[in-house]
């Protein structure tokens, strides 16, 4: 995204003895000089003498603020283009703001490489950008890194690494990661099989309305894996998943249909009707 015309002031290295009273500027430093890019008019005489430490602190804050503003603007334009299906424009915007360190842009850039949207599909490049965002604590990117390590796409398959990334995102409340972490425990991938732990994480995702997790929780109740067998609860969770058109839940519903009394079915339907999603945990 092009920047508006800005006056440029070169200040020799001796300016390190000064601080900025007006923070409404973007500052870029080199070894020998400080380059002030002023989005709003700034009188160079506003630079006053002060302690070196204070100048360095304000300089640091200003640099961060300037880059953050540019990155956020680039992300907003990129997301708007992405939502409209203009992947070429979205890729350009995300690439610029991702380079400035914006985690959401890094994630979306990884997603576009992953899916081949606006750029040739490249799983390895996708994980490069996912990792940058994941390292900043962005939950969606952490979940995507978990997917990459679980499937071995873009990186060497490693269930231990997948588990690590899923857990980071799951603990931030990401429903996809919670479901996947539950599956890892249920299948014993990268960790000892533990149905109770599988139910714990699937329930967190199911409570947020995730239909895959709701179906898994339905099977857990139907088979008594990690929880006491309970066809009423199984029916309720299968019903909730089916209400979101997740057809796989129908298999579970068919499995338990003949094992329930009319009263149990009515109770399950009542519970499903009254169910409300919970907030992220």
């Amino acid at each position: 995204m092009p920047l508006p015309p800005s006056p440029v002031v070169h200040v020799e290295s001796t300016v390190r003895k000064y601080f900025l009273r007006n923070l409404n500027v973007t500052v870029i430093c080199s070894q020998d000089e400080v380059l002030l890019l002023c989005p709003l008019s700034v009188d160079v005489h506003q630079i006053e003498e002060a302690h070196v430490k204070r100048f360095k602190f304000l300089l640091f804050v200003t640099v961060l603020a300037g880059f953050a503003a540019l990155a956020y603007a680039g992300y907003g334009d990129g997301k708007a283009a992405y939502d409209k299906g203009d992947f070429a424009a979205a890729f350009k915007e995300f690439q610029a703001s991702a380079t400035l360190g914006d985690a959401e842009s890094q994630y979306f850039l990884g997603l576009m490489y992953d899916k081949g949207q606006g750029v040739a599909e490249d799983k390895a490049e996708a994980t490069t950008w996912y990792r940058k965002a994941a390292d900043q604590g962005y939950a969606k990117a952490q979940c995507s890194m978990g997917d990459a390590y679980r499937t071995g796409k873009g990186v060497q398959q490693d269930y231990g690494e997948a588990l690590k990334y899923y857990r980071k995102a799951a603990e931030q409340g990401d429903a996809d990661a919670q479901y996947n972490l539950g599956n890892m425990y249920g299948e014993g991938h990268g960790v000892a099989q533990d149905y109770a732990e599988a139910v714990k994480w699937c329930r967190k995702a199911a409570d947020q309305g995730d239909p895959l997790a709701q179906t898994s929780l339905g099977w857990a109740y139907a088979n008594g894996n990690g929880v006491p067998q309970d066809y009423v609860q199984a029916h309720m969770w299968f019903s909730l998943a089916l209400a979101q058109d997740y057809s796989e839940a129908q298999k579970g519903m068919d499995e338990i249909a003949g094992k329930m009394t009319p009263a149990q079915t009515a109770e399950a339907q009542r519970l499903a009707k009254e169910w409300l999603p919970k907030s992220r945990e």
Side-chain angles (χ1 to χ4, degrees):
M1 184 179 67
L3 292 172
S6 302
V8 177
V9 180
H10 288 271
V11 184
E12 298 301 325
S13 58
T14 53
V15 80
R16 298 172 196 274
K17 298 179 181 178
Y18 301 92
F19 78 100
L20 300 179
R21 178 187 296 166
N22 187 337
L23 285 181
N24 200 5
V25 295
T26 300
V27 182
I28 302 175
C29 294
S30 68
Q31 183 175 358
D32 299 321
E33 64 182 9
V34 176
L35 176 63
L36 304 181
L37 301 177
C38 311
L40 298 178
S41 61
V42 174
D43 187 346
V44 71
H45 297 295
Q46 288 180 321
I47 302 177
E48 299 179 351
E49 291 191 17
H51 299 292
V52 173
K53 288 184 178 180
R54 181 169 176 79
F55 169 74
K56 289 183 177 179
F57 171 75
L58 292 175
L59 184 64
F60 175 71
V61 170
T62 305
V63 170
L64 290 183
F67 281 123
L70 290 173
Y72 183 79
Y75 167 74
D77 291 342
K79 186 63 165 59
Y82 186 89
D83 290 342
K84 290 189 296 186
D86 187 351
F87 296 135
F91 181 83
K92 182 179 179 180
E93 294 292 347
F94 286 143
Q95 188 176 47
S97 49
T99 302
L100 290 175
D102 182 71
E104 290 177 295
S105 297
Q106 291 169 344
Y107 165 73
F108 271 98
L109 193 60
L111 186 66
M112 296 186 79
Y113 274 112
D114 203 350
K115 295 184 176 182
Q117 297 173 321
V119 66
E121 182 179 314
D122 188 332
K123 300 295 186 184
E125 189 67 12
T127 58
T128 294
W129 289 104
Y130 284 150
R131 192 185 303 277
K132 289 179 183 292
D135 287 347
Q136 294 194 63
Y138 192 61
K140 289 183 181 297
Q142 291 170 339
C143 185
S144 293
M145 284 301 299
D147 291 341
Y149 277 112
R150 178 174 55 84
T151 61
K153 294 181 179 179
V155 292
Q156 185 173 352
Q157 188 179 51
D158 187 327
Y159 287 140
E161 284 294 295
L163 192 78
K164 180 185 76 175
Y165 277 107
Y166 281 146
R167 187 180 302 280
K168 287 181 178 181
E171 289 176 349
Q172 293 191 65
D174 185 86
D176 290 336
Q178 290 169 343
Y179 165 71
N180 287 323
L181 184 59
N183 264 359
M184 298 284 283
Y185 275 106
E187 297 170 1
H189 288 162
V191 66
Q193 190 175 55
D194 187 333
Y195 288 130
E197 195 70 8
V199 167
K200 167 189 166 182
W201 288 106
C202 279
R203 187 184 302 279
K204 289 179 182 292
D207 282 343
Q208 292 189 62
D210 186 277
L212 281 73
Q214 290 172 341
T215 300
S216 290
L217 199 53
W219 280 114
Y221 276 110
N223 297 321
N225 290 334
V227 289
Q229 190 176 59
D230 188 329
Y231 292 137
V232 172
Q233 285 291 313
H235 190 288
M236 181 195 77
W237 288 112
F238 287 141
S239 294
L240 291 171
L242 280 172
Q244 298 186 67
D245 296 322
Y246 186 62
S247 59
E248 288 298 309
Q250 187 63 55
K251 297 177 183 178
M253 192 70 83
D254 294 341
E255 176 73 19
I256 64 174
K259 302 176 182 179
M260 298 177 66
T261 66
Q264 287 177 317
T265 300
E267 175 65 7
Q269 291 172 340
R270 182 188 68 81
L271 291 174
K273 184 177 181 180
E274 295 177 355
W275 181 87
L276 293 173
K278 295 182 181 179
S279 60
R280 288 163 58 102
E281 296 181 358

